[in-house]
Amino acid sequence: MSFTSYWFTLAFLPLSVYVFHRLISKSQLHLLLPLLISLLFYYLNDAHNLFLFCASVGVNWLMARAIANSNQKKIYLALAIAGNLCFLAFYKYAKVFMVSGTAIPALPLGISYFTFTQIAFLVDTARGQARSTNPLEYALFVAWFPHLPAGPLLSHKDMLPQFMAAPEKLSALRPAPRDYAVGITLFAIGLFKKACISPIFQNAQGDVFLRAGQGDPIGLVETWIACLGFLFETYYDFCGYSEMAMGISRMFGIHLPVNFHAPFKSSSPVEFWTRWHITLGAFMRDYLYRPLTRKRQVWRHYAALFIVMMAVAIWHGATIPLLIFGVYQGLLVTGNHALRRLNIISRQGGNLQHWAGRVFTLAAIAFSVSLWATPNWDEAWHVILGLLGAGQGSVWPYNLTGIIAIPGAIAFNWLAPSLIDLMSRELPAWSVQLKKATTSKWIWKPNLAWAAAVAVALCLALINLSGLKEFKYAGF
Amino acid sequence: MQVFKNNLSIGRFFVSIFLIAAGLTFLIAGLIFVVDPYAIWRHQAIQRINEIKLETTSASQVGTAVLRSAVHPPDVLILGSSRVRRGFNETFASQLYRSSVQVAGINALQLSNIKDLFSTFRQRAQIKKLYLEVNYFTSNACTLKNEALANKSDLADPLHYFSPQDAIVHSLRTLKINLFPLRSFDNYFDVQGRYHDDPSEGMSRTGGMETYESRYNRLFQSMTNRCQRQASNAADTKDLSDIIRLAQARQTEIILLILPVSARWQTRIQQGGLSPKVTQWKKNIILVASQFHVPVLDYEEHSDVNALAENSNHAMPMFWDETHFSNRLGDYILRDMQYASHVATIHNNRQGSLTPQP
């Protein structure tokens, strides 16, 4: 029962919101009710692994208690992290190590997301930065269902304070009417992005990757269109999911962090990675990059950046192109930092630097799609040749969809405010770090224009739901 | 414009969303109801609205077939792949048989899916006669599959019968093709139910990207790549036996069809080294059918019907492409099917000339 199924959209979500709204006033159900809804969601999606999921939550809570109360924090922490990483690696990379013919265990729903979330909690517990929680709070924090299929990665610093009721209130989770309005807007627009916009860019790719895999000729322009198409398809798929998760959560009075904030407005690769999959970036920064750069040496800083990008790449999959993707992104990011350090480019920059940076960043990220979207090196190399104009195909493509859709998407993403910009006043300050306040006249308000936008987005999305592919990051 | 920007109370905001969404839903449902793009509930076509029909897309073929059988229960069902859908004219068949005939052609309909599909049909209609197309490429020897049928629960769940997106797009395209002049490369069913395709060897639809020859080379390659298993697959025997038992248990007369392909396609099969496998597979099918006294009408090597169709004074080509025969040949096959099923002999023993009925 994916977020993009009719059962979820028309039955599970409205019913669970209604039941929550009716019963939340009862103090004994304060946190239990959303936890039960989350476990029901897990059961409906992946009943086989529900016990495994509960065991992971239970064991990690016990480990967190042991770390908090022990003098040998480091030993317990190392054990807990190693256990979590082995658990994750066993499921994610089983197919790499298993003998052919052996049955590969199915990936438990949200394994990466709940494992990373718990590792962060364990590390912060050892650092003394995490508050002690009761099992119910902890279980809800990890199991809260909107983040399970494909994130965002949750931080206990953002989530746990939301579960603490003010002394005069029975429950902390009491959504106001405005929360429902904001929630349905985020959900509808997110669903629209996934159901209506993402498939356009899937079609725009044509059969370029297929032909590249077969060694057939591919042309220069069509390869660039296919790579940009893949990038935009992934963006609208994942960003749509993240906004849906935020919207669903908001209808239960829980705020989730922003995961995508207009990444194509980035004028450098470093900025891009602060706007694309923000919660993964924050996790890598806090729990990998910072521990590696305690000593302030330049080489350590660059090496840590490389390691972070390699870790991100390996998380995507254990293939040769993805490893090269990690090296490529590491070079881009360290190169970007080096140019800043040498004052060749400034942080502020003028208009020319800003726009040149946007074009370069988009082109550089689109180029990396050749490594990201291909399963083996032969196909990746063929796509790279296509991007360089050496793919032996005719320069201009016959498929007009991409020629219209890609420039349209670039212009829209560069010039129009993002949904997060338009809704920033309705989001908590911690969830979105805006570069500057938006002054658009289309800023979100409960008015007829936004009601029409939500209604049309919902209708169009529901029409397009059947036969829709699962979220790209659902199998991580 | 100011009215759009004025703040509403949250209650009114939700009411506005509901009313706009409900209005849009009624508008869309009305369009689909009037156009009836899959010809499910309308007996009479509306001039310049849905006289000309488009081919149902792959995603909706199963749903269309099942719902049509529920709304207009057929006496005779001709079930098979896209070759059945494009080659047989349902209106003509109904006139010929003087009873309700449904032609259900579902892309790449596999033998392994037919049992479930036929069971679903049988829940909704009392079928007296079933013509079932069997084909090596949709047998268990190959892994060619129809995505819409890959998940068998689709058949049991009405929610999966149709894609709303497909219904709207199909309605709009049907309206367009009825309101505006046809283009040379449009494929459609005319007012008489005859299928028309682009006879210019598919060039216009592929946009000139690749030649007809290379397109079919690739299609054949991709099909043969999925046919690596043994031809005399035990799964075929089981599936076919199950289907026949199911039909016979409910007094449905069943006749197996092996439909013609172009000489070029046969050459490809020979050049691809598949001939021995196809021959072996066909022998196996005939053997299974004979055990149940089920006739097999083999038009693949049946020159009489081809010759009759070729000599007819008909404007249509015999084949639209290498695998899909046209109504020109289909009409003769239908006549022969009617005659052959009257005499009800098994293929191997069938003798004598085939005289088309007037």
Side-chain angles (χ1 to χ4, degrees):
Chain A
M1 192 185 54
S2 163
F3 282 5
T4 54
S5 69
Y6 285 110
W7 284 112
F8 179 85
T9 316
L10 300 176
F12 184 88
L13 180 62
L15 271 176
S16 54
V17 169
Y18 177 75
V19 170
F20 183 79
H21 178 77
R22 298 292 296 175
L23 299 180
I24 194 62
S25 56
K26 295 186 169 50
S27 61
Q28 62 270 33
L29 294 173
H30 167 49
L31 297 179
L32 191 61
L33 187 59
L35 178 62
L36 288 176
I37 291 171
S38 298
L39 292 178
L40 176 65
F41 177 82
Y42 203 102
Y43 175 79
L44 292 172
N45 279 281
D46 189 9
H48 294 301
N49 288 312
L50 179 61
F51 176 74
L52 198 71
F53 171 65
C54 293
S56 168
V57 175
V59 169
N60 275 294
W61 182 77
L62 289 173
M63 288 305 288
R65 294 271 296 182
I67 291 167
N69 299 329
S70 167
N71 292 328
Q72 295 175 313
K73 291 183 194 301
K74 283 189 178 173
I75 294 173
Y76 280 110
L77 179 64
L79 273 175
I81 291 176
N84 275 300
L85 290 179
C86 287
F87 172 67
L88 181 62
F90 172 75
Y91 281 98
K92 266 190 81 79
Y93 307 112
K95 64 182 171 192
V96 179
F97 303 108
M98 281 206 173
V99 183
S100 64
T102 317
I104 297 165
L107 211 61
L109 175 71
I111 185 169
S112 290
Y113 303 100
F114 68 72
T115 305
F116 284 158
T117 292
Q118 294 187 105
I119 288 175
F121 182 77
L122 292 168
V123 172
D124 283 344
T125 303
R127 286 174 180 170
Q129 294 170 355
R131 61 184 281 266
S132 69
T133 59
N134 64 44
L136 197 58
E137 283 175 342
Y138 181 78
L140 178 59
F141 154 59
V142 179
W144 180 228
F145 79 92
H147 99 111
L148 284 176
L153 287 172
L154 300 182
S155 166
H156 61 94
K157 292 170 194 164
D158 303 328
M159 299 303 292
L160 288 176
Q162 296 185 57
F163 302 152
M164 296 164 65
E168 70 277 11
K169 283 185 177 176
L170 283 173
S171 168
L173 306 180
R174 290 185 70 85
R178 203 173 175 92
D179 286 327
Y180 290 113
V182 171
I184 200 169
T185 305
L186 284 165
F187 179 77
I189 305 289
L191 189 62
F192 177 76
K193 284 181 179 177
K194 165 65 184 166
C196 302
I197 303 184
S198 179
I200 294 172
F201 297 105
Q202 190 195 338
N203 292 336
Q205 293 164 45
D207 60 353
V208 171
F209 290 108
L210 183 74
R211 282 190 280 137
Q214 292 171 346
D216 291 346
I218 50 172
L220 175 71
V221 177
E222 69 175 348
T223 313
W224 275 101
I225 284 175
C227 287
L228 284 161
F230 182 89
L231 191 62
F232 281 114
E233 183 205 350
T234 308
Y235 168 66
Y236 282 110
D237 180 289
F238 201 4
C239 172
Y241 165 81
S242 301
E243 285 164 5
M244 285 169 76
M246 284 173 71
I248 295 165
S249 209
R250 189 66 179 262
M251 287 186 248
F252 291 85
I254 297 175
H255 298 275
L256 290 190
V258 171
N259 216 12
F260 286 83
H261 186 196
F264 299 112
K265 285 192 169 73
S266 309
S267 52
S268 68
V270 170
E271 188 187 353
F272 180 86
W273 287 111
T274 62
R275 288 173 173 267
W276 178 285
H277 207 168
I278 297 168
T279 55
L280 178 69
F283 176 86
M284 291 292 176
R285 180 195 63 211
D286 292 344
Y287 302 104
L288 190 57
Y289 172 78
R290 281 188 182 155
L292 290 171
T293 53
R294 279 201 189 122
K295 291 182 182 171
R296 293 186 173 274
Q297 291 163 310
V298 176
W299 72 268
R300 273 180 181 272
H301 167 69
Y302 291 148
L305 283 173
F306 249 98
I307 291 168
V308 165
M309 296 319 294
M310 288 303 289
V312 169
I314 291 168
W315 178 66
H316 278 80
T319 64
I320 300 291
L322 278 171
L323 291 178
I324 300 170
F325 171 85
V327 174
Y328 173 85
Q329 291 295 344
L331 282 172
L332 273 184
V333 172
T334 49
N336 194 172
H337 276 287
L339 289 176
R340 277 184 189 172
R341 193 178 176 80
L342 298 170
N343 279 330
I344 295 171
I345 55 167
S346 67
R347 275 179 194 276
Q348 300 303 319
N351 260 346
L352 183 64
Q353 183 188 312
H354 177 72
W355 282 100
R358 274 192 184 184
V359 174
F360 171 78
T361 305
L362 184 64
I365 300 293
F367 193 86
S368 72
V369 167
S370 57
L371 302 161
W372 178 13
T374 49
N376 57 60
W377 173 243
D378 287 342
E379 186 176 331
W381 179 242
H382 207 91
V383 176
I384 290 170
L385 289 177
L387 288 170
L388 298 174
Q392 296 172 336
S394 62
V395 173
W396 292 101
Y398 293 98
N399 182 5
L400 282 177
T401 317
I403 292 179
I404 297 163
I406 299 296
I410 293 172
F412 182 82
N413 277 282
W414 279 355
L415 303 174
S418 71
L419 179 67
I420 297 301
D421 286 329
L422 295 175
M423 302 204 68
S424 58
R425 286 185 195 169
E426 308 298 326
L427 305 175
W430 59 262
S431 79
V432 52
Q433 284 130 29
L434 290 172
K435 307 292 174 199
K436 59 180 180 181
T438 308
T439 52
S440 169
K441 62 181 177 180
W442 294 110
I443 204 142
W444 189 88
K445 281 184 281 188
N447 58 22
L448 199 55
W450 273 99
V454 169
V456 172
L458 262 182
C459 278
L460 293 179
L462 287 173
I463 285 167
N464 280 282
L465 277 195
S466 60
L468 207 59
K469 282 196 329 186
E470 183 52 281
F471 290 106
K472 282 194 161 197
Y473 278 73
F476 275 73
Chain B
M1 283 300 286
Q2 195 54 38
V3 71
F4 279 94
K5 292 182 180 173
N6 289 344
N7 267 12
L8 302 170
S9 68
I10 297 297
R12 285 196 173 188
F13 180 71
F14 276 102
V15 169
S16 306
I17 291 175
F18 176 77
L19 289 177
I20 295 167
L24 269 174
T25 307
F26 277 117
L27 201 69
I28 291 164
L31 171 79
I32 295 170
F33 179 76
V34 169
V35 176
D36 185 18
Y38 307 120
I40 291 174
W41 50 80
R42 288 200 185 285
H43 276 296
Q44 295 293 320
I46 306 171
Q47 204 177 5
R48 296 190 71 79
I49 299 285
N50 60 357
E51 271 184 324
I52 297 171
K53 299 266 185 319
L54 290 165
E55 204 175 16
T56 308
T57 54
S58 187
S60 301
Q61 284 164 6
V62 177
T64 301
V66 172
L67 285 186
R68 286 193 70 210
S69 76
V71 177
H72 309 294
D75 296 321
V76 179
L77 175 66
I78 307 176
L79 183 60
S81 67
S82 57
R83 301 199 299 154
V84 162
R85 185 177 67 243
R86 293 178 184 179
F88 293 138
N89 178 352
E90 195 173 275
T91 314
F92 177 70
S94 294
Q95 288 165 2
L96 202 64
Y97 283 79
R98 292 194 184 89
S99 59
S100 168
V101 178
Q102 182 179 349
V103 174
I106 292 155
N107 290 358
L109 179 65
Q110 273 214 306
L111 197 56
S112 53
N113 291 129
I114 291 172
K115 188 182 159 193
D116 294 319
L117 191 59
F118 182 57
S119 299
T120 316
F121 275 113
R122 288 300 311 246
Q123 287 167 10
R124 292 164 169 80
Q126 180 62 45
I127 297 161
K128 290 176 187 155
K129 188 178 281 185
L130 168 68
Y131 287 101
L132 182 64
E133 184 208 354
V134 283
N135 179 359
Y136 172 72
F137 288 103
T138 53
S139 72
N140 287 290
C142 304
T143 53
L144 194 71
K145 64 178 178 184
N146 179 313
E147 292 300 330
L149 276 165
N151 182 2
K152 287 182 181 173
S153 68
D154 283 358
L155 289 175
D157 187 352
L159 268 181
H160 286 105
Y161 274 178
F162 284 112
S163 145
Q165 179 201 29
D166 191 60
I168 293 166
V169 171
H170 213 65
S171 299
L172 291 172
R173 288 186 60 218
T174 305
L175 259 183
K176 187 179 149 197
I177 207 164
N178 277 279
L179 289 173
F180 300 104
L182 291 162
R183 294 162 301 179
S184 62
F185 54 87
D186 280 327
N187 53 335
Y188 61 94
F189 293 91
D190 65 17
V191 184
Q192 284 86 35
R194 291 176 173 276
Y195 178 76
H196 295 264
D197 203 339
D198 171 22
S200 59
E201 299 189 323
M203 282 294 286
S204 45
R205 217 173 304 147
T206 53
M209 258 173 76
E210 50 185 343
T211 62
Y212 171 82
E213 188 62 20
S214 68
R215 187 159 70 98
Y216 265 87
N217 278 340
R218 186 190 294 209
L219 176 70
F220 184 75
Q221 192 62 44
S222 102
M223 285 172 89
T224 50
N225 283 346
R226 296 170 181 188
C227 300
Q228 303 301 326
R229 294 190 231 164
Q230 286 295 317
S232 54
N233 198 314
D236 274 352
T237 307
K238 186 185 177 303
D239 285 339
L240 197 56
S241 304
D242 287 350
I243 295 163
I244 295 170
R245 279 196 203 98
L246 183 70
Q248 290 180 341
R250 300 185 187 180
Q251 283 82 47
T252 300
E253 183 190 349
I254 182 165
I255 295 149
L256 303 185
L257 296 175
I258 299 175
L259 295 173
V261 289
S262 67
R264 180 76 189 98
W265 188 257
Q266 281 180 337
T267 309
R268 280 187 202 277
I269 289 175
Q270 279 167 5
Q271 287 171 345
L274 276 178
S275 287
K277 282 186 179 179
V278 175
T279 310
Q280 179 58 41
W281 169 83
K282 205 188 280 184
K283 276 182 187 167
N284 183 45
I285 291 293
I286 291 169
L287 186 69
V288 175
S290 66
Q291 286 167 3
F292 291 91
H293 305 289
V294 167
V296 180
L297 304 180
D298 182 358
Y299 294 101
E300 204 167 40
E301 293 163 8
H302 196 40
S303 54
D304 310 28
V305 173
N306 286 321
L308 281 168
E310 213 158 78
N311 294 332
S312 69
N313 197 11
H314 210 300
M316 263 186 196
M318 293 272 281
F319 286 89
W320 292 116
D321 53 40
E322 290 187 10
T323 52
H324 294 98
F325 57 93
S326 73
N327 289 162
R328 179 178 171 186
L329 185 52
D331 289 356
Y332 276 90
I333 294 174
L334 278 173
R335 284 180 180 131
D336 184 59
M337 280 158 57
Q338 192 203 19
Y339 167 78
S341 58
H342 279 172
V343 294
T345 51
I346 295 171
H347 162 81
N348 290 2
N349 303 326
R350 195 148 66 92
Q351 300 289 329
S353 64
L354 298 159
T355 313
Q357 303 298 307

